[in-house]
Amino acid sequence: MKDQPEGIDASGVRQALLTWGIDVADLAYAPVGFGDYHWTAADTTGGRWFVTLSDLSDKNHCGMGADAAWQGLRRAMDTAAQLRDRDGLGFQDGGFVLAPESTPEGESVRRLGERYALSVFPYASGTSGDFGQRLAPTERASTLQTLAALHAVPPPAVTRVIPPQLSARERLEANLAAVDRPWSGGPWSEPAREWVLRHAAGLRGRLDDFDALRAEASGRGAALVVTHGEPHPGNLLWHEGRQLLLDWDTVGLAVPERDLWLVADGPDDLARYEELTGHAPDVSALALYRLRWDLEDVDAFLGWFRSPHGATPDLEQAWDGFLDTVRRLVA
């Protein structure tokens, strides 16, 4: 995020890092990604860290409401830690999982007040991509191999099931139904209402499409595996000649297609995954998760635009993303 969090400043982060035994010598805000807040830190012994602050009031994929989101986030971070410790998949052991460091009490993430949660990662240098970027064939092959290895891991007991339904279906439908009266909150409230009103029929039609795809997928009863949830180029880091997976807050049990739709670029990639795993990807399930992604984004955007907000760089980026997502859905 380019914006910095409300109610948490650098001194608060420094104090919180003492829980991990990290005595900060240098702390710098890192305006990267979208959704969480990040800092890079160096400690007094020369160690380097990547620090992530999550806003539990805005983490619906982990759970609706701060308390539910906290439980979901903790289970996700515990899953990543177990993939590192139990399965030897941590990047420091030559694997692909960049998992959070645990506190001396064994916490993979620590709550800060009612609203926030903090996690700490070892700093790994390298090159990452951007969401929406098209990977080169060799990069896709590497990512498919990484996913095949992840999907083969026995699920940790703590890993939660991620059902295919939308995380906030009722809220999305309520927003689609509320376009006949003015929206307030900030500069993008009314423009968002007008954009939804213009495309309401198309958006409701895509919800119907989603329901049909979900019913079709549920009838197949495919086995659930450990999925990352967002293995797009922005969450891939090429470090010392190998690929790492970042941002494990979306990890959960689901069908492989939850990951594959973001990576596979045609039949050859799907055939490659089948060679690696024995699982033939389901085209309908790929379409389900592709549609689910866009509908989840629309819900998140409308949540921001109907809440109090200002003309900030992050909201400006969100507005552009909202327009593009709706266009793609109703095209």
Side-chain angles (χ1 to χ4, degrees):
M1 300 287 279
K2 297 179 179 66
D3 302 334
Q4 297 201 29
E6 298 176 356
I8 297 286
D9 59 14
S11 62
V13 174
R14 287 173 178 268
Q15 184 64 33
L17 289 175
L18 292 174
T19 303
W20 279 263
I22 299 173
D23 187 7
V24 175
D26 182 67
L27 184 71
Y29 187 71
V32 297
F34 198 85
D36 290 331
Y37 305 94
H38 305 287
W39 291 261
T40 57
D43 64 30
T44 55
T45 67
R48 298 184 69 191
W49 311 92
F50 190 78
V51 182
T52 295
L53 184 74
S54 298
D55 186 345
L56 299 173
S57 68
D58 188 29
K59 218 163 183 65
N60 294 341
H61 61 273
C62 290
M64 290 298 293
D67 289 339
W70 162 246
Q71 295 297 332
L73 178 61
R74 186 169 60 178
R75 292 180 68 177
M77 293 296 99
D78 285 350
T79 294
Q82 288 198 33
L83 293 175
R84 176 193 62 207
D85 300 335
R86 186 198 68 176
D87 300 296
L89 296 178
F91 92 99
Q92 291 163 319
D93 297 318
F96 55 83
V97 178
L98 190 59
E101 292 290 311
S102 296
T103 68
E105 292 76 24
E107 299 171 293
S108 62
V109 58
R110 187 172 180 84
R111 194 162 184 174
L112 297 185
E114 292 299 313
R115 181 173 177 179
Y116 295 110
L118 195 75
S119 48
V120 180
F121 301 83
Y123 186 88
S125 60
T127 302
S128 63
D130 297 304
F131 176 74
Q133 173 186 339
R134 185 175 182 181
L135 295 174
T138 55
E139 295 170 329
R140 292 200 309 275
S142 175
T143 307
L144 288 168
Q145 191 163 358
T146 296
L147 292 177
L150 174 64
H151 295 171
V153 172
V158 72
T159 309
R160 64 195 184 104
V161 175
I162 307 295
Q165 60 256 36
L166 300 175
S167 59
R169 174 67 176 262
E170 291 183 1
R171 187 176 76 169
L172 176 57
E173 290 187 336
N175 281 330
L176 293 181
V179 293
D180 59 344
R181 54 189 181 272
W183 289 1
S184 61
W188 279 283
S189 297
E190 271 296 281
R193 183 187 68 83
E194 292 169 0
W195 190 245
V196 172
L197 178 61
R198 178 177 175 182
H199 298 292
L203 290 171
R204 292 191 185 96
R206 296 319 309 271
L207 279 171
D208 292 340
D209 294 341
F210 176 81
D211 291 338
L213 287 167
R214 187 160 68 90
E216 186 177 346
S218 64
R220 292 192 169 92
L224 304 186
V225 299
V226 179
T227 59
H228 177 276
E230 294 189 354
H232 58 71
N235 285 336
L236 301 175
L237 181 72
W238 278 264
H239 168 78
E240 297 180 355
R242 55 195 173 91
Q243 186 185 76
L244 307 181
L245 267 175
L246 315 177
D247 287 356
W248 287 84
D249 60 311
T250 53
V251 68
L253 298 180
V255 295
E257 288 81 0
R258 180 177 183 242
D259 284 340
L260 293 176
W261 81 268
L262 274 161
V263 178
D265 187 17
D268 290 345
D269 287 342
L270 298 178
R272 174 59 178 157
Y273 181 83
E274 184 176 3
E275 290 175 3
L276 291 168
T277 65
H279 172 74
D282 186 301
V283 175
S284 293
L286 293 169
L288 168 68
Y289 280 97
R290 182 178 293 108
L291 180 54
R292 182 181 187 270
W293 180 282
D294 282 342
L295 291 172
E296 289 271 292
D297 273 356
V298 169
D299 170 67
F301 290 137
L302 292 182
W304 295 332
F305 298 144
R306 297 202 66 187
S307 299
H309 66 273
T312 70
D314 285 330
L315 265 295
E316 188 169 340
Q317 181 180 343
W319 175 250
D320 291 339
F322 173 61
L323 295 180
D324 289 343
T325 301
V326 172
R327 288 190 190 105
R328 185 165 57 248
L329 280 168
V330 302

